[in-house]
Amino acid sequence: MLIDEVKIRVSAGHGGKGSVAFNTNLMSLGPAGGSGGLGGSVYAEGVSDLSALGQFRFKKEFAAENGMDGRGQFRDGHVGSDLVLKVPVGTVIHNLTTGADIEIQKTGERITLAKGGLGGKGNFQFKSSRNTSPKQSQPGLPGEAFTMRLELKFIADVGFVGLPNVGKSSLLNVLTNAKSKVANYAFTTLEPNLGAYYELILADIPGLIEGSSGGKGLGTKFLRHIERTNILFHFISSESPTPLEDYKTIRKELGLYNKELLEKPERIFLTKSDLLTPAELKKKMAPLKKLDSKAIAISIADDESIKKVQKMLNDIKAKK
Ligand SMILES: Nc1nc2c(ncn2[C@@H]2O[C@H](COP(=O)(O)OP(=O)(O)OP(=O)(O)O)[C@@H](O)[C@H]2O)c(=O)[nH]1
Ligand SMILES: [Mg+2]
């Protein structure tokens, strides 16, 4: 199961206490308390492993090390170790405490999630001409602590949408080396699948139905994985008695989820063309051609039609 949303608590380390101590060397009396060390910070770092959020499935609390307390003889406390959490590229980090959102876009990119607390000053730092033997020190400050929601948004170029059972996964498997599960029933695909067509990433997502946006079927949460795509491939099955109605159903659900999805460029495909006679195909294609002059009928059993899809992808790739 792909984990694409988690809530965690991150805490940076507390700064160490400053020390109150006096020089033990009898020749030079005076304050000698060291300062506390800086608390460790918590960072997030981008990695290419899309399943990296899996590490947060059971463990939810993450804390960097506290700074060590200062000691006598001017010895400052050690700085606490930082904690680096690896998250997949495309993760949006919502800070639920402050309301800030930030996204990890590149592998190796590091952002600060919670800053470590400053260490307290030891009494040596309070020495002045008027107070040559101060007994003051500071306690060290707490590190920042936040509750965060990590949400993975795939960075796919092409999103596959359509009703269940229209052949989305079958096409992904033909075009890429993905092994998306295919079966002759609705909701075979339960989690989004990605496939690489050269440098283009294609995202096959679960089927949508009337009412998905209201929670029917598998809902629409997975649509966030196609929010970033440049183009949508919309699949309609030749088996459908009402291709235009199917088209409208999907568009409605997309719009209810996020209107911006409707503004993306879209290509329409009538799938499983091998199941119809040329005359039947022509009839079912007519209303779709009106919506998209480049709409085509395809079948995974018809190499010529697959070549047309590859040609479209090559054009998209060239423009990227
Ligand atoms: N005849 C024919 N059958 C096809 C074609 N493409 C897919 N199928 C069949 O249609 C059924 C559904 O295919 P899937 O690829 O699982 O469909 P899907 O759109 O991913 O379905 P969900 O994951 O449930 O949304 C399977 O039985 C496939 O073998 C095609 O071009 N021609
Ligand atoms: Mg599928």
Side-chain angles (χ1 to χ4, degrees):
M1 188 168 78
L2 181 78
I3 305 292
D4 54 8
E5 193 172 16
V6 289
K7 202 159 130 186
I8 59 170
R9 176 102 187 140
V10 298
S11 318
H14 202 291
K17 274 202 288 267
S19 145
V20 175
F22 290 90
N23 209 323
T24 49
N25 182 345
L26 289 175
M27 299 299 289
S28 63
L29 288 169
S35 297
L38 179 70
S41 295
V42 184
Y43 298 93
E45 184 180 301
V47 293
S48 57
D49 176 12
L50 284 178
S51 65
L53 291 186
Q55 66 181 307
F56 305 115
R57 194 162 163 210
F58 301 112
K59 184 168 160 45
K60 307 282 183 195
E61 303 268 342
F62 295 87
E65 205 179 43
N66 292 332
M68 300 262 277
D69 293 344
R71 289 171 296 162
Q73 288 303 103
F74 311 103
R75 284 171 301 177
D76 290 340
H78 284 294
V79 168
S81 300
D82 293 331
L83 180 66
V84 180
L85 304 176
K86 305 271 168 88
V87 306
V89 170
T91 300
V92 180
I93 300 169
H94 305 274
N95 184 326
L96 300 180
T97 315
T98 65
D101 290 345
I102 188 152
E103 182 183 346
I104 299 268
Q105 287 170 324
K106 294 196 194 104
T107 55
E109 179 183 351
R110 227 182 229 207
I111 59 156
T112 309
L113 298 182
K115 277 199 204 113
L118 288 177
K121 287 179 186 169
N123 68 337
F124 175 68
Q125 304 268 352
F126 289 93
K127 183 181 168 179
S128 68
S129 52
R130 289 207 273 153
N131 187 357
T132 53
S133 50
K135 298 209 172 65
Q136 270 162 292
S137 71
Q138 291 173 332
L141 297 176
E144 290 180 324
F146 301 115
T147 301
M148 310 202 134
R149 185 163 64 86
L150 311 188
E151 185 188 17
L152 175 62
K153 298 199 179 197
F154 288 161
I155 304 180
D157 301 288
V158 183
F160 285 12
V161 298
L163 291 175
N165 215 25
V166 298
K168 298 180 295 295
S169 302
S170 304
L171 186 69
L172 183 81
N173 292 348
V174 168
L175 293 171
T176 72
N177 59 6
K179 290 180 185 65
S180 193
K181 189 178 169 196
V182 166
N184 191 16
Y185 53 80
F187 304 123
T188 305
T189 302
L190 300 174
E191 300 285 344
N193 288 297
L194 295 185
Y197 177 82
Y198 300 97
E199 68 260 31
L200 285 185
I201 303 296
L202 316 184
D204 165 38
I205 58 169
L208 290 166
I209 54 170
E210 168 102 56
S212 283
S213 53
K216 278 210 183 132
L218 297 173
T220 50
K221 259 189 137 182
F222 51 79
L223 285 178
R224 70 166 166 271
H225 296 306
I226 60 161
E227 277 183 84
R228 312 290 186 78
T229 60
N230 301 321
I231 184 162
L232 299 180
F233 276 13
H234 189 148
F235 300 97
I236 299 159
S237 173
S238 303
E239 295 164 304
S240 167
T242 54
L244 192 57
E245 294 313 309
D246 293 5
Y247 174 82
K248 288 182 185 158
T249 300
I250 298 299
R251 296 289 290 176
K252 185 172 152 202
E253 298 303 323
L254 292 177
L256 286 171
Y257 174 79
N258 178 352
K259 280 207 173 54
E260 281 172 30
L261 289 179
L262 300 179
E263 275 142 39
K264 287 187 191 293
E266 179 193 54
R267 282 277 86 78
I268 299 177
F269 300 87
L270 188 67
T271 59
K272 311 192 193 183
S273 62
D274 55 291
L275 300 177
L276 298 187
T277 64
E280 288 170 322
L281 257 187
K282 206 168 169 211
K283 209 168 138 200
K284 286 203 176 164
M285 279 302 289
L288 303 180
K289 281 269 189 199
K290 277 191 197 148
L291 295 167
D292 171 13
S293 61
K294 290 186 184 152
I296 53 171
I298 60 167
S299 161
I300 55 167
D302 171 11
D303 279 348
E304 283 309 307
S305 70
I306 298 302
K307 284 207 183 100
K308 287 185 199 166
V309 181
Q310 289 169 332
K311 166 95 184 31
M312 284 184 191
L313 290 171
N314 293 340
D315 290 345
I316 296 167
K317 185 156 65 81
K319 278 192 212 130
K320 201 183 158 184

